[in-house]
Amino acid sequence: MPIKVGMVSLGCSKNLVDSERMLYKLRKKGYELVTEPGLADIAVVNTCGFIQSAKEEAIETILELGKLKDDGTLKKIIITGCLTERYKQEAAELFPEADAVIGIGNNKDIVDVLDHVLANERYINFAPKLDAELTGERIISTLPFFAYLKIAEGCSNCCTYCAIPQIRGKYRSVPMEDVLSEARWLAENGVSEIIVIAQDTTRYGEDLYGESKLPELLREIAKIDGIRWIRVLYCYPERITDELLDTIANEEKIVKYLDIPIQHCNGDILESMNRWGDVAQLTALFEKIRAKVPGIILRTTLITGFPGETEEQFTELAEFVQKIRFDRLGCFAYSREDGTKAHDFPNQVEEEIAAHRADIIMEQQMLISAQNNEKLLGTRTCAVVEGFDRFGECYFGRTEADAPDIDGKLFFSSEKPLNVGDYVNVEITDTLDYDLIGEVVE
C-alpha cells in the first residue's frame, strides 16, 4: 500500500502555492495524498511565522499532530515554512515531535526529506532561502475554477514592523515567460479566475527588467483563452501607475478590484513604518484611482497601535476611513515581532489599546459595508458558484468585487441546478453586514 501524506498549509496564499508544489512532487513520487492529517502516515506542516497569532496557530497545529503521533495514528511529522525559516534551530529544539525541520529552501527537495524520515533519521536542514523555487508544477488545492499565481518571491521593502525580508529574502521576480507558461497551464486545467500575488505585486519585474512590468504581464495574461477573471492583490500605493490603472480600466478580463495595503494614513506613523504617504497623498491617490477606473472596488489593510501612535493619530486614521469609504478593509493590532526595527522603537502602545483601536475601525467598516450593500439592492451582478449550502438550501459564491477567503459571499437561489465554477447572473434581493442575498436570473 502507498504511504499516505497529508499537507497542512497555514498562513497566506503565497504559502499555499509552495504547498501545492510540494504536493505535486510527492504525488509524482507515488505517495498517496489525503486531505485529513489524521488519515495520513506522514504530515507535512507548511507554517506561517509572520505575526504572533500565526506563530501560535502553527505551534498549536504541530502539538495537535504530536498527539496523533503519540496515539500511533500518525507516524512522521515534517515542518517547514516561515516559522522554521525564521527560527531554525530553535524550532528544531521546540518541536521534538517533528521528524524533520527544514527551511523554505528545502521545499523543492521534499521527496528527499521524506526519504530521510522514513529511514528513521531526524532530519534538520536549512538550505539557503534563495534556493526557494520561483516556479514549478503544482496540484491545485483551491476550488478547481480559481488559483493563485505567484509572480515573485521575497521582499525588499523593509517595512519596520515586518520580518518577511529576513524570512523570505530579497524580492525576486519570476521571469515573465515562466509566469505566462504557468498561467496557460492553469487555464488548460480549468482555472477561469487567476489571482495574481506576491509580497508586492507592483514591484514585479524591477529586479529583472529595470522597471515594473506588472501592467504588461496583466495584458499578456488577459490574452490567454479560458481565463475569465484576473484579480490583483498586494499592490503598494506608491507604485500605482497610470499605466497600471489604464490596463485595469481597459482590459475586460481584469476585474475592477485593487488590494492596496496602506497600513495607516498619518505621515509620521507611515515614515516610522518605512512606508509611503500621508493623508493628502493617499486621498489624492484613491480619488485618482476611482476617477480612472469607475466602479472599482478598493480593499486595504491597516495597523493600529504601531509604536508611538497617539490618540490624535488614531483619530486621524478613523476619520480617513470614514472619508475614503473603502469597499473592503481589514484592520489588525500591531504585533511586536523579534528582529524587526519597530520591536525596539520607544513608546510601544499597550496591546489592549491597539486591539481596541482595531475593533473601532472594524466597527466603522461594518457600517460602511452595510451601507454599500444597501445600494446594491435590485441590481444584477455576475457571480461564480462556489458550492451549495445545505442548511440554507441555497448556492453561494462570489462576485468580481470579492476575493476568496478575505471578502464576503453571495448566497442565492436558482431554479436550475448549478455546478461549482459556473458563472451566473444574480439579482440582489437582500443584504447582510458583509454578504449579499439574491436569486439567479436569465
Side-chain angles (χ1 to χ4, degrees):
M1 288 179 62
I3 296 171
K4 297 177 181 178
V5 180
M7 174 75 70
V8 181
S9 190
L10 303 174
C12 67
S13 52
K14 298 178 286 292
N15 223 31
L16 181 64
V17 173
D18 294 346
S19 297
E20 291 177 340
R21 289 177 181 150
M22 286 189 278
L23 286 171
Y24 176 86
K25 291 177 173 62
L26 292 168
R27 186 177 68 180
K28 186 177 180 182
K29 184 65 175 178
Y31 291 103
E32 181 182 342
L33 305 181
V34 295
T35 55
E36 290 293 328
L39 302 176
D41 301 303
I42 301 173
V44 181
V45 187
N46 193 7
T47 61
C48 177
F50 178 45
I51 58 175
Q52 185 60 33
S53 58
K55 288 184 278 188
E56 290 171 359
E57 181 187 20
I59 292 168
E60 186 177 320
T61 300
I62 295 164
L63 294 178
E64 286 295 322
L65 292 173
K67 291 177 184 176
L68 292 177
K69 188 179 176 187
D70 290 341
D71 295 341
T73 306
L74 194 61
K75 295 182 178 63
K76 305 289 182 181
I77 300 172
I78 295 168
I79 54 175
T80 182
C82 289
L83 185 72
T84 58
E85 183 64 40
R86 185 173 181 182
Y87 294 106
K88 294 186 169 68
Q89 293 298 334
E90 295 170 67
E93 293 167 10
L94 182 62
F95 301 115
E97 55 270 89
D99 299 276
V101 181
I102 59 174
I104 61 172
N106 300 92
N107 289 348
K108 67 183 188 308
D109 303 315
I110 190 65
V111 170
D112 293 337
V113 175
L114 263 70
D115 289 343
H116 283 282
V117 300
L118 289 171
N120 293 320
E121 297 177 35
R122 189 163 197 252
Y123 187 70
I124 314 295
N125 196 290
F126 301 96
K129 58 175 64 73
L130 297 183
D131 284 358
E133 284 183 309
L134 292 180
T135 188
E137 294 173 290
R138 42 196 279 225
I139 291 175
I140 303 305
S141 60
T142 52
L143 291 173
F145 65 87
F146 83 88
Y148 295 99
L149 183 64
K150 185 158 72 165
I151 63 173
E153 179 59 85
C155 189
S156 298
N157 289 321
C158 299
C159 304
T160 58
Y161 53 83
C162 183
I164 292 297
Q166 296 120 275
I167 298 170
R168 289 276 172 177
K170 66 182 181 179
Y171 192 91
R172 289 161 287 143
S173 300
V174 182
M176 190 176 296
E177 58 269 25
D178 293 338
V179 177
L180 294 175
S181 175
E182 186 168 350
R184 283 190 284 269
W185 177 84
L186 290 170
E188 289 164 2
N189 284 273
V191 171
S192 58
E193 179 183 7
I194 280 183
I195 304 171
V196 177
I197 56 170
Q199 202 62 38
D200 173 1
T201 52
T202 37
R203 195 171 188 141
Y204 174 74
E206 287 184 6
D207 55 319
L208 293 180
Y209 311 112
E211 61 181 341
S212 174
K213 289 289 186 179
L214 180 62
E216 180 181 337
L217 177 67
L218 294 175
R219 292 192 294 269
E220 290 301 315
I221 294 173
K223 295 176 183 176
I224 298 172
D225 291 338
I227 295 173
R228 181 161 178 161
W229 286 353
I230 303 166
R231 189 181 305 277
V232 187
L233 302 184
Y234 315 125
C235 300
Y236 273 55
E238 66 269 37
R239 297 192 181 94
I240 305 288
T241 62
D242 287 348
E243 183 188 8
L244 177 60
L245 295 177
D246 290 341
T247 300
I248 293 170
N250 296 329
E251 288 289 348
E252 189 176 326
K253 291 183 179 181
I254 302 176
V255 298
K256 308 313 178 239
Y257 176 111
L258 261 187
D259 172 59
I260 309 171
I262 61 171
Q263 311 308 352
H264 213 281
C265 71
N266 177 267
D268 291 337
I269 292 292
L270 286 166
E271 184 178 358
S272 186
M273 289 178 166
N274 195 31
R275 297 288 302 223
W276 174 89
D278 55 27
V279 167
Q281 290 174 307
L282 289 165
T283 300
L285 172 66
F286 291 123
E287 288 176 350
K288 174 180 168 180
I289 293 172
R290 283 173 165 155
K292 276 189 160 288
V293 192
I296 192 166
I297 299 297
L298 291 176
R299 160 173 267 284
T300 197
T301 49
L302 304 171
I303 295 173
T304 54
F306 188 78
E309 184 189 54
T310 63
E311 280 291 343
E312 291 75 18
Q313 290 168 331
F314 169 68
T315 299
E316 184 178 39
L317 179 63
E319 291 172 348
F320 180 78
V321 168
Q322 198 64 41
K323 177 183 178 182
I324 300 298
R325 298 181 69 81
F326 292 98
D327 303 280
R328 309 283 184 264
L329 183 148
C331 187
F332 306 91
Y334 167 71
S335 178
R336 190 179 185 185
E337 293 301 316
D338 298 334
T340 63
K341 287 186 177 181
H343 179 275
D344 299 321
F345 282 180
N347 303 314
Q348 297 281 332
V349 176
E350 291 181 23
E351 289 181 16
E352 294 80 4
I353 293 174
H356 179 60
R357 290 174 180 176
D359 289 342
I360 290 172
I361 296 292
M362 290 310 299
E363 286 170 9
Q364 265 187 284
Q365 185 61 29
M366 183 178 289
L367 290 173
I368 291 169
S369 294
Q371 291 162 0
N372 287 344
N373 281 351
E374 286 285 332
K375 296 175 185 176
L376 297 174
L377 285 172
T379 64
R380 295 185 176 188
T381 186
C382 179
V384 63
V385 179
E386 292 186 313
F388 186 80
D389 187 327
R390 289 183 293 120
F391 298 103
E393 295 186 334
C394 65
Y395 292 94
F396 61 91
R398 291 183 291 111
T399 71
E400 287 190 21
D402 301 296
D405 299 326
I406 55 175
D407 294 330
K409 297 285 187 188
L410 172 57
F411 297 90
F412 51 91
S413 58
S414 173
E415 293 182 1
K416 297 179 181 177
L418 302 173
N419 298 310
V420 170
D422 286 349
Y423 289 80
V424 292
N425 290 316
V426 178
E427 182 170 320
I428 308 303
T429 58
D430 203 353
T431 69
L432 301 170
D433 290 331
Y434 293 110
D435 301 323
L436 297 169
I437 298 172
E439 54 189 33
V440 173
V441 292
E442 292 300 328

